[in-house]
């Protein structure tokens, strides 16, 4: 490991217990910064309500750390929007945000558009499929941004069990993202969960970043933030254990292809000969091929969007 990364691990990796809530609140009151929590959601009616309820109870009612909770629904066919609204979130449909730009499927698309419908100086992203959710996920990653002006982006780190197996839940991280980062961006080798969906950042950083529309958004954001802000502006906080719904192997393959494409673009801005991935499923007549396109589109930094700049100036 690089000496720079070893130093970073000792100075920019913390535990949620390192910043008690009263210290975080004092920093928020002193600086006057506001906090938005965004949950990107697609068919998460089983979990989204509990997450919203915990955040509202712990971080809006008991202490005023969070100023708004926004659930961005990316086309759910279940009761996600209804459950989220009843729990106290403001629900916005992806297609209603910046309608002049036709929406495409993908998590990064939703995160990008969320900047247009939130107001916080700090934006905190939380996946909507978490189970046994703790508000430490929010306070833990928001805390350093409120207490340390030199920090621009904070990732959550945690154990990810896979069934009864501890620490085996980050399969795409270990097989795809971590090797890519270690080989091509070794300064980022210290991140425990580089692909984790729980992170917070200053709006002033997020609005300058391009957003891959799909699963490559987390890796792309980390690499771009490193180049824009430098390693010392990035941090991570241990928030315990993350329990969520796991995807099957083929879905993970498609996720890996999107992540690889995101890395490739940042390495060379090169051209893919075949931006697709073929996988196989056993059918009645043997193994049958299924070909999926790989996310190749990226959204520009929000500072290039006239509607955003007009809203910001208002």
């Amino acid at each position: 490991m690089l000496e720079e990364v070893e130093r970073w691990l000792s100075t920019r990796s913390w535990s949620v217990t390192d910043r008690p809530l009263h210290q975080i609140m004092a920093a928020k009151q002193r600086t006057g910064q506001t906090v938005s929590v965004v949950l990107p959601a697609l068919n998460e009616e089983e979990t989204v309500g509990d997450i919203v309820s915990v955040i509202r109870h712990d971080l809006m009612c008991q202490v005023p750390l969070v100023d708004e909770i926004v659930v961005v629904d990316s086309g759910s066919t279940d009761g996600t929007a209804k459950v989220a609204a009843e729990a106290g979130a403001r629900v916005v449909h992806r297609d209603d945000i910046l309608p002049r730009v036709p929406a495409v499927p993908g998590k990064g698309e939703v995160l990008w558009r969320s900047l247009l419908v939130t107001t916080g100086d700090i934006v905190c992203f939380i996946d909507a499929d978490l189970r046994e959710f703790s508000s430490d996920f929010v306070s833990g990653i928001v805390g350093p941004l409120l207490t340390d002006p030199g920090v621009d982006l904070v990732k959550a780190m945690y154990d990810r069990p896979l069934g009864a197996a501890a620490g085996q839940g980050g399969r795409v991280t270990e097989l795809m993202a971590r090797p890519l980062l270690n080989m091509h961006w070794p300064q980022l080798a210290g991140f425990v969960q580089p692909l984790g969906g729980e992170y917070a950042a200053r709006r002033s950083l997020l609005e300058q970043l391009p957003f891959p529309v799909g699963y490559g958004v987390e890796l792309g954001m980390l690499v771009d933030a490193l180049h824009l802000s430098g390693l010392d502006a990035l941090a991570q906080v241990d928030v315990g254990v993350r329990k969520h719904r796991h995807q099957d192997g083929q879905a993970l393959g498609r996720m890996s292809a999107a992540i690889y494409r995101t890395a490739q673009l940042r390495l060379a801005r090169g051209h893919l000969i075949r931006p697709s991935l073929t996988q196989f499923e056993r059918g009645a007549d043997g193994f049958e091929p299924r070909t999926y396109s790989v996310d190749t589109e990226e959204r520009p930094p929000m500072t290039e969007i006239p509607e955003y700049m007009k809203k910001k100036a208002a």
Side-chain angles (χ1 to χ4, degrees):
M1 183 176 290
L2 295 176
E3 183 178 337
E4 180 183 9
V5 176
E6 292 182 352
R7 177 192 56 76
W8 178 85
L9 281 169
S10 66
T11 60
R12 285 291 187 263
S13 292
W14 298 296
S15 166
V16 67
T17 58
D18 290 336
R19 288 175 178 80
L21 198 52
H22 68 83
Q23 179 183 344
I24 297 172
M25 285 305 306
K28 176 179 168 67
Q29 292 165 4
R30 183 175 64 253
T31 62
Q33 297 177 90
T34 54
V35 177
S36 298
V37 175
V38 172
L39 279 72
L42 176 62
N43 295 329
E44 303 293 357
E45 66 177 359
E46 294 184 5
T47 51
V48 68
D50 288 341
I51 297 172
V52 171
S53 295
V54 169
I55 296 172
R56 279 192 59 83
H57 176 270
D58 292 359
L59 303 180
M60 295 183 83
C61 297
Q62 290 198 337
V63 297
L65 177 63
V66 172
D67 296 280
E68 64 176 348
I69 306 175
V70 178
V71 171
V72 183
D73 186 354
S74 58
S76 298
T77 56
D78 65 1
T80 291
K82 181 175 182 291
V83 170
E86 290 176 347
R90 176 161 60 93
V91 180
V92 184
H93 195 282
R94 173 200 63 198
D95 296 348
D96 295 333
I97 307 170
L98 199 63
R100 73 169 176 83
V101 179
V104 297
K107 181 182 180 182
E109 177 84 353
V110 174
L111 300 185
W112 181 72
R113 289 175 186 263
S114 75
L115 297 181
L116 271 159
V117 293
T118 53
T119 60
D121 303 305
I122 294 168
V123 182
C124 174
F125 298 117
I126 300 290
D127 280 351
D129 66 342
L130 302 188
R131 303 180 185 278
E132 300 178 29
F133 178 77
S134 166
S135 59
D136 285 349
F137 274 73
V138 174
S139 60
I141 57 179
V142 166
L145 293 163
L146 289 169
T147 61
D148 190 335
V151 174
D152 287 344
L153 184 148
V154 182
K155 298 278 293 190
M157 57 176 165
Y158 34 66
D159 294 318
R160 294 183 66 184
L162 180 62
Q168 297 299 308
R171 291 164 289 173
V172 175
T173 293
E174 300 304 331
L175 296 175
M176 175 58 71
R178 200 176 308 284
L180 280 172
L181 292 175
N182 275 264
M183 288 187 289
H184 298 297
W185 297 280
Q187 287 177 294
L188 298 174
F191 277 94
V192 175
Q193 297 292 350
L195 299 185
E198 292 69 46
Y199 48 98
R202 300 190 191 280
R203 178 176 294 272
S204 57
L205 171 65
L206 293 172
E207 65 187 11
Q208 297 182 68
L209 300 178
F211 277 61
V213 298
Y215 284 120
V217 63
E218 273 85 24
L219 183 134
M221 188 177 297
L222 205 55
V223 170
D224 293 340
L226 172 68
H227 290 163
L228 195 64
S229 299
L231 183 59
D232 282 342
L234 313 181
Q236 61 185 352
V237 174
D238 187 350
V239 295
V241 178
R242 182 188 198 266
K243 297 182 180 180
H244 65 114
R245 183 188 68 252
H246 291 283
Q247 302 196 53
D248 63 34
Q250 294 213 337
L252 297 179
R254 297 190 290 274
M255 187 184 302
S256 297
I259 290 166
Y260 177 78
R261 170 58 170 171
T262 299
Q264 184 204 41
L265 283 173
R266 279 150 182 79
L267 285 168
R269 295 290 164 182
H271 173 67
L272 266 185
I273 296 174
R274 182 174 179 266
S276 57
L277 173 72
T278 298
Q279 298 176 314
F280 294 88
E281 297 177 6
R282 184 182 289 279
D285 299 319
F287 285 102
E288 300 174 356
R290 301 282 189 274
T291 299
Y292 304 87
S293 61
V294 174
D295 295 318
T296 59
E297 190 169 356
E298 295 198 2
R299 295 303 191 190
M302 268 294 169
T303 52
E304 298 178 13
I305 302 299
E307 291 92 335
Y308 180 82
M309 297 307 292
K310 181 178 178 180
K311 175 177 178 289
K312 186 178 179 183

